[in-house]
Amino acid sequence: PGSCLSLCLCSEAAKTVKCVNRNLTAVPPDLPSYVRNLFITGNRLARLPAGAFAAQRLPDLSALNLSGNHLQAVEPRALAALPALRQLDLSGNPLLSLSPQAFGEGGSPLEELALRGSLQDQGVLLSLAAMLQSGALHNLSRLELADNGLLLLPAGMFTALPALRQLDLSNNSLVGLRNVSFQGLGQLQTLNLSDNSLGVLRNSTLAQFRGLPSLRHISLGRNAWVCDCAIEDMVAWLKESDQVEGKEALTCLYPEKMLGKALLKISSSDLNCSMPVNLPSQLQTSYVFLGIVLALIGAIFLLVLYLNRKGIKKWMHNIRDACRDHMEGYHYRYEINADPRLTNLSSNSDV
């Protein structure tokens, strides 16, 4: 690669370098040390190797945009030599490998991370979860994971992000949040869950939302809400909470009779839920019924035995006689084998 001026647009006054759509296959080697905002986008950087910026001496680089570069691998320590990095955008890259040690052993001061459309591979999602759980990005305040087709999130993925304020999970395929823990996110202010496949929010999730003191903006639009008895608690939460933006526009998708009905206008009569059954009493009733059935089967069995008592008695006598004859035969042969005289007599008789 040539100099910065031949490959990129470099502005010392703006502290910015833009290397856009230059078909670069590696990070330019002579980036100016004054750069604070670096855009390397629309190129062909298949991999970001260890020490990709180590020789650059970029002490002031705070914003790095690597989106749309066909990146497949971010290797260990690839971003370790950027002590001032606060913003990183890896969106639009078909990542197949993302090392949990990409920022080195000591972690990073990173505050904003964008991975829009870059987590199509399940292994990369698990690597990201390992990175977040390790505490390497404990200063992270904004995390963007939209447009990734995510069905489920790894358990405990966000537990080591105490400074997180904005979490974007929009435009995925999330079907539930049962294994997702928001506990410990005391600074979380904005949560975007729109454009997913959520059918209901369970009581455990609602309780977590209630317990986040700073959470004031939750987006739930364009989800596949299933308006049956399971959604009753969520409807009650929506009516009492001021956390959900645009909650008046949330509507049912299933079942067909509830299609298009606003969640805030749902009543218990619409759901036609029967009175809840106490589980212990239900189990007790089942055990009683099972006991009655077993007792009836036992009575029928005893009745059959009684009606066939003569035949059974004759059958038992026949078995006893057969066993006795068999044992007498064994006893006779044993006496012959034990007495040599009887053995010789038996042999002579055979001759």
Side-chain angles (χ1 to χ4, degrees):
S3 66
C4 174
L5 292 178
S6 65
L7 293 173
C8 311
L9 297 175
C10 306
S11 172
E12 184 172 1
K15 310 294 183 184
T16 299
V17 173
K18 295 183 178 180
C19 309
V20 180
N21 299 327
R22 298 288 184 171
N23 285 324
L24 299 177
T25 57
V27 176
D30 58 347
L31 295 171
S33 60
Y34 62 72
V35 63
R36 293 182 181 176
N37 306 300
L38 177 58
F39 297 82
I40 305 178
T41 63
N43 294 288
R44 306 190 67 82
L45 279 66
R47 54 187 285 268
L48 203 64
F53 298 91
Q56 305 291 330
R57 296 185 180 89
L58 306 175
D60 298 325
L61 181 61
S62 61
L64 176 60
N65 191 328
L66 294 173
S67 61
N69 277 307
H70 301 278
L71 269 176
Q72 295 185 4
V74 179
E75 300 178 2
R77 301 191 61 81
L79 301 163
L82 300 174
L85 189 62
R86 297 292 187 273
Q87 301 173 9
L88 175 63
D89 192 342
L90 291 171
S91 301
N93 287 296
L95 292 176
L96 297 177
S97 173
L98 175 63
S99 172
Q101 290 81 38
F103 295 94
E105 301 298 330
S108 168
L110 195 69
E111 296 177 358
E112 299 184 14
L113 175 60
L115 288 162
R116 181 182 289 270
S118 297
L119 301 177
Q120 305 295 329
D121 185 85
Q122 180 68 17
V124 176
L125 176 62
L126 296 177
S127 296
L128 174 64
M131 178 191 294
L132 298 178
Q133 291 171 332
S134 71
L137 301 180
H138 62 277
N139 290 320
L140 204 64
S141 64
R142 182 175 180 271
L143 179 59
E144 184 177 346
L145 304 178
D147 303 336
N148 284 304
L150 303 176
L151 290 172
L152 295 171
L153 296 174
M157 183 173 180
F158 308 120
T159 53
L161 300 175
L164 193 65
R165 295 184 179 182
Q166 300 178 32
L167 177 57
D168 188 355
L169 294 167
S170 63
N171 200 27
N172 283 293
S173 300
L174 295 174
V175 296
L177 299 174
R178 284 190 173 184
N179 63 328
V180 181
S181 175
F182 298 99
Q183 294 180 355
L185 303 182
Q187 303 297 319
L188 188 64
Q189 299 175 358
T190 302
L191 176 61
N192 193 343
L193 292 167
S194 60
D195 291 291
N196 276 283
S197 300
L198 298 172
V200 67
L201 297 180
R202 303 288 179 180
N203 279 334
S204 57
T205 301
L206 300 179
Q208 292 186 62
F209 289 166
R210 292 189 183 100
L212 298 176
S214 301
L215 185 57
R216 287 293 177 267
H217 305 283
I218 304 177
S219 299
L220 296 173
R222 297 177 297 280
N223 276 281
W225 303 117
V226 179
C227 297
D228 57 13
C229 295
I231 206 170
E232 200 167 16
D233 292 329
M234 177 182 165
V235 170
W237 169 73
L238 284 174
K239 292 179 178 179
E240 70 181 24
S241 174
D242 59 354
Q243 295 175 301
V244 182
E245 296 180 332
K247 60 183 179 180
E248 296 81 8
L250 301 180
T251 58
C252 304
L253 186 61
Y254 302 104
E256 186 175 355
K257 66 176 183 178
M258 300 289 285
L259 179 63
K261 188 175 182 64
L263 267 62
L264 289 180
K265 295 183 179 180
I266 292 178
S267 63
S268 298
S269 59
D270 294 326
L271 300 176
N272 193 26
C273 297
S274 58
M275 294 299 292
V277 179
N278 183 268
L279 184 60
S281 62
Q282 186 179 15
L283 291 175
Q284 186 177 5
T285 303
S286 300
Y287 291 146
V288 171
F289 179 74
L290 179 62
I292 293 175
V293 171
L294 293 177
L296 182 60
I297 293 174
I300 294 174
F301 179 72
L302 292 176
L303 179 61
V304 170
L305 291 179
Y306 177 75
L307 294 177
N308 292 276
R309 60 188 184 280
K310 293 183 179 179
I312 293 175
K313 185 176 181 180
K314 182 178 180 181
W315 177 68
M316 293 295 293
H317 287 165
N318 291 338
I319 291 178
R320 184 192 62 187
D321 293 342
C323 291
R324 183 174 58 191
D325 294 342
H326 199 60
M327 293 302 296
E328 287 179 352
Y330 272 116
H331 183 68
Y332 174 72
R333 295 189 66 83
Y334 173 77
E335 289 180 347
I336 291 177
N337 293 332
D339 192 337
R341 293 173 301 172
L342 293 177
T343 301
N344 295 333
L345 180 60
S346 177
S347 301
N348 294 333
S349 298
D350 292 339
V351 174

